[in-house]
Amino acid sequence: MNPYKIKISQLRAFVKVAERGNFGTAAIELGMSQSSVSHAIATLEEELGVILLSRSRRGANLTSVGERIFVHAKAVLAPLADIVAEANQARGLQGGSVRIVAFRSIATHVLPKVLVRFQSYFPNIKVTLQEYEEPADIEQALRQGKADIGFVQSPACKDLNTFELLRDEYVVLLPPGAPWENKQLTWQELASYPLILSTTKGCSKLFRPYLQRSEVPLKIAYEIREDSTILSMVSQGLGAAILPRLAAEPIPKGIKMCFLPVPLQRVVEVATLQNANHPPAVFAFLDVLKQASDFDWQVAG
């Protein structure tokens, strides 16, 4: 067995589950998905060739060998925390602030996971979050110096530095009693419903040209600004809605989700103002965001 194959992330997951006695609680505190935590510990057990935790409905408990290895794992992680603290102090990360602007679905489904992880690394940095409805308002807040980091939809303006965070698929939400669920609709099937569309510029700019590709005429019955209102109208059987998947969540009981005749996605990017003099705290938050592969952006559905 090669000890250098053991990853710090595996030890962190193991120690946190052992301390909390629960995979779900440990995952939340680590800013990871529960499946990622389970995979990390399973991989560690496979590498060591021993069972570290006994799993049951009541939670997770250390085995006898797990208790002994737990002591060593904590001893390994302790000096690492000291290393990070020294580095943070040198980089000026013992304080400061990060101002974030985002639209609702990102603030709801993405940022909480990021914030948990960021605060575990930098507990003394203050993070503020403000929601905007329109991408143009987010970009303007960055230009006016009201925010350091914004979440925008591609393509963003040229005066912003951006990198892609995720791709969010548009879905069709059908009223209760609809004959389809979790299937890709045809244009004819989509045309059989009055459509309820979002009036936000971010959505309409992307999917209105898309709807012109329909092989049959589509009836736009309602144009609504608030996602919650759109979902309520679908629940009452007033029509079918087209929304980004993250904006649709959580999908109310009874509403059925289907997929568009031709797939359509919005690209969500992280943006900062070019040539801005950002403090170290902002770059630290961007570093956490760039670890996006460690997060599970997908919502259950």
Side-chain angles (χ1 to χ4, degrees):
M1 179 179 62
N2 185 347
Y4 297 105
K5 287 186 178 182
I6 297 175
K7 298 180 180 179
I8 298 300
S9 59
Q10 296 170 345
L11 295 180
R12 290 183 69 236
F14 166 58
V15 168
K16 185 63 70 173
V17 172
E19 290 176 339
R20 298 295 178 259
N22 183 277
F23 279 81
T25 303
I28 292 173
E29 294 187 11
L30 290 169
M32 301 169 62
S33 66
Q34 186 169 333
S35 60
S36 297
V37 172
S38 297
H39 177 72
I41 294 176
T43 304
L44 178 61
E45 290 178 327
E46 182 178 355
E47 183 66 31
L48 295 174
V50 295
I51 300 300
L52 301 172
L53 295 163
S54 60
R55 300 154 174 84
S56 68
R57 292 182 179 179
R58 297 181 178 178
N61 298 297
L62 288 167
T63 62
S64 57
V65 65
E67 291 179 352
R68 298 193 296 273
I69 291 178
F70 172 74
V71 174
H72 296 301
K74 290 191 67 175
V76 169
L77 294 176
L80 292 176
D82 294 336
I83 291 173
V84 172
E86 289 289 346
N88 287 344
Q89 186 172 6
R91 294 167 59 196
L93 293 174
Q94 290 301 314
S97 65
V98 181
R99 299 167 300 165
I100 300 171
V101 286
F103 43 94
R104 183 194 63 82
S105 55
I106 293 298
T108 301
H109 298 295
V110 172
L111 279 173
K113 294 182 179 180
V114 181
L115 291 172
V116 167
R117 176 169 290 190
F118 182 77
Q119 290 179 348
S120 71
Y121 294 156
F122 311 108
N124 297 320
I125 295 178
K126 180 181 178 181
V127 180
T128 60
L129 171 61
Q130 188 171 359
E131 292 184 23
Y132 285 84
E133 293 183 350
E134 298 291 353
D137 295 335
I138 293 176
E139 295 183 6
Q140 189 65 15
L142 293 171
R143 292 192 195 93
Q144 294 176 347
K146 296 179 179 179
D148 304 305
I149 299 172
F151 292 79
V152 300
Q153 295 183 39
S154 178
C157 292
K158 295 182 179 180
D159 59 346
L160 300 176
N161 291 322
T162 63
F163 63 87
E164 182 178 321
L165 180 69
L166 59 86
R167 296 187 175 224
D168 189 15
E169 184 177 8
Y170 277 80
V171 295
V172 182
L173 303 174
L174 301 179
W180 306 295
E181 185 172 15
N182 294 327
K183 68 159 290 192
Q184 187 171 11
L185 299 177
T186 64
W187 288 114
Q188 289 77 11
E189 290 167 343
L190 184 62
S192 67
Y193 289 92
L195 295 183
I196 306 171
L197 303 183
S198 171
T199 60
T200 59
K201 293 179 181 178
C203 286
S204 60
K205 183 179 179 180
L206 183 62
F207 69 67
R208 287 185 183 276
Y210 168 90
L211 293 179
Q212 295 176 3
R213 301 161 59 183
S214 172
E215 301 169 353
V216 294
L218 300 174
K219 178 185 177 182
I220 299 177
Y222 304 97
E223 298 182 79
I224 308 296
R225 187 173 190 83
E226 295 294 334
D227 297 337
S228 58
T229 303
I230 293 174
L231 292 172
S232 178
M233 294 177 72
V234 175
S235 295
Q236 295 301 316
L238 292 172
I242 301 174
L243 285 174
R245 177 72 182 275
L246 287 176
E249 294 289 342
I251 298 175
K253 184 177 180 181
I255 288 181
K256 297 183 179 181
M257 186 185 73
C258 289
F259 301 97
L260 288 164
V262 178
L264 177 66
Q265 296 177 328
R266 64 173 177 176
V267 179
V268 179
E269 297 182 326
V270 180
T272 55
L273 186 65
Q274 287 184 3
N275 303 318
N277 186 21
H278 295 303
V282 172
F283 291 107
F285 197 91
L286 291 173
D287 287 341
V288 173
L289 281 170
K290 289 175 181 177
Q291 300 171 11
S293 60
D294 293 340
F295 295 99
D296 179 12
W297 302 128
Q298 298 301 315
V299 288

